[in-house]
Amino acid sequence: MTELNTKRIIELQNKKELSKDEEYELENLKRTTPLYLLREAFSTINKTILPYYLDDTPENFHIVTLWIIGSYFHNQFNSYPYLFFNAMRGSGKSRYLRLIAELGGGKWTSSVTESVIFRTIGLLCIDEIENINSKEKEPLRELLNASYKKGLTIMRMKCANRTKAWSTFFLRWGEWVLCFLFCIASLF
């Protein structure tokens, strides 16, 4: 049915003039056809991010667009890939990251701790993450290594006083975008 609706939308859009009934049919089909809505979302996001795109390869450009659309449905998957951006200072990484956060309904930050990561729900865009290789960032690195898969729980202790403590569990997985100045191959 969706395929027939999409074909009908294309057929109506290609007509030079539409009757009032055809205009009504076209608008109704556009609002109710999921494939058409996804195509419109893809086209709109492409047009929005194109002026800020960091790379010359169109394949990568479309991957970013599809990744942003997929971020709205990431809970439907058992795992969701990270996006990594690696470029020179002044190339526009931060601006691009901020745009992805805005389009994906997420948060954009440049300084992050382990506790922030497992308490943040949804898309998290982390800029300037070069120091992740340091010894003190090892728990954060381990968390990033495991958080692309659904089901990871993080246990932390809560203390009311010196005699009363209990475990709290956090479930953290989801969409991540990370920006680096240095080569990322050695980070994980």
Side-chain angles (χ1 to χ4, degrees), residues 93-150:
K93 292 183 310 295
S94 297
R95 183 176 47 187
Y96 199 58
L97 197 62
R98 195 172 350 157
L99 182 63
I100 291 171
E102 187 68 31
L103 291 170
K107 311 268 185 307
W108 173 61
T109 183
S110 64
S111 178
V112 65
T113 63
E114 183 184 0
S115 64
V116 167
I117 285 181
F118 59 76
R119 287 182 173 93
T120 301
I121 296 171
L123 172 60
L124 190 58
C125 297
I126 307 171
D127 201 358
E128 312 279 336
I129 196 165
E130 286 80 19
N131 67 348
I132 196 161
N133 252 350
S134 66
K135 182 79 171 155
E136 55 274 357
K137 295 287 186 178
E138 189 172 337
L140 176 60
R141 195 170 55 250
E142 289 171 354
L143 180 60
L144 285 170
N145 276 332
S147 295
Y148 74 96
K149 259 191 177 163
K150 193 184 277 189

Side-chain angles (χ1 to χ4, degrees), residues 3-184:
E3 190 175 322
L4 291 175
N5 288 350
T6 304
K7 285 180 182 178
R8 181 67 177 150
I9 289 170
I10 293 168
E11 178 185 320
L12 289 170
Q13 285 178 328
N14 288 334
K15 278 187 147 185
K16 291 197 189 292
E17 283 191 43
L18 297 176
S19 69
K20 289 288 182 192
D21 288 341
E22 288 173 327
E23 285 178 9
Y24 176 77
E25 179 186 7
L26 178 60
E27 289 308 310
N28 190 41
L29 285 171
K30 283 181 178 180
R31 282 194 309 272
T32 59
T33 305
L35 187 58
Y36 179 80
L37 296 174
L38 282 174
R39 282 183 181 162
E40 284 296 301
F42 184 84
S43 176
T44 302
I45 291 171
N46 263 344
K47 288 175 189 170
T48 304
I49 67 175
L50 183 61
Y52 306 99
Y53 190 59
L54 302 171
D55 196 350
D56 292 334
T57 51
E59 302 83 37
N60 293 343
F61 176 70
H62 295 312
I63 288 171
V64 173
T65 301
L66 290 170
W67 191 94
I68 292 169
I69 292 171
S71 72
Y72 284 92
F73 308 101
H74 84 278
N75 281 321
Q76 305 299 316
F77 306 106
N78 288 324
S79 61
Y80 200 75
Y82 297 157
L83 274 182
F84 292 100
F85 292 103
N86 176 265
M88 299 301 294
R89 189 177 310 277
S91 62
K93 292 183 310 295
S94 297
R95 183 176 47 187
Y96 199 58
L97 197 62
R98 195 172 350 157
L99 182 63
I100 291 171
E102 187 68 31
L103 291 170
K107 311 268 185 307
W108 173 61
T109 183
S110 64
S111 178
V112 65
T113 63
E114 183 184 0
S115 64
V116 167
I117 285 181
F118 59 76
R119 287 182 173 93
T120 301
I121 296 171
L123 172 60
L124 190 58
C125 297
I126 307 171
D127 201 358
E128 312 279 336
I129 196 165
E130 286 80 19
N131 67 348
I132 196 161
N133 252 350
S134 66
K135 182 79 171 155
E136 55 274 357
K137 295 287 186 178
E138 189 172 337
L140 176 60
R141 195 170 55 250
E142 289 171 354
L143 180 60
L144 285 170
N145 276 332
S147 295
Y148 74 96
K149 259 191 177 163
K150 193 184 277 189
L152 172 74
T153 56
I154 301 155
M155 184 175 73
R156 292 292 179 262
M157 298 302 293
K158 292 244 182 182
C159 297
N161 54 42
R162 290 186 177 256
T163 60
K164 185 171 180 169
W166 63 94
S167 300
T168 302
F169 290 89
F170 296 91
L171 179 65
R172 179 57 178 139
W173 89 282
E175 325 92 291
W176 301 80
V177 185
L178 307 171
C179 275
F180 301 91
L181 279 175
F182 307 115
C183 178
I184 60 173

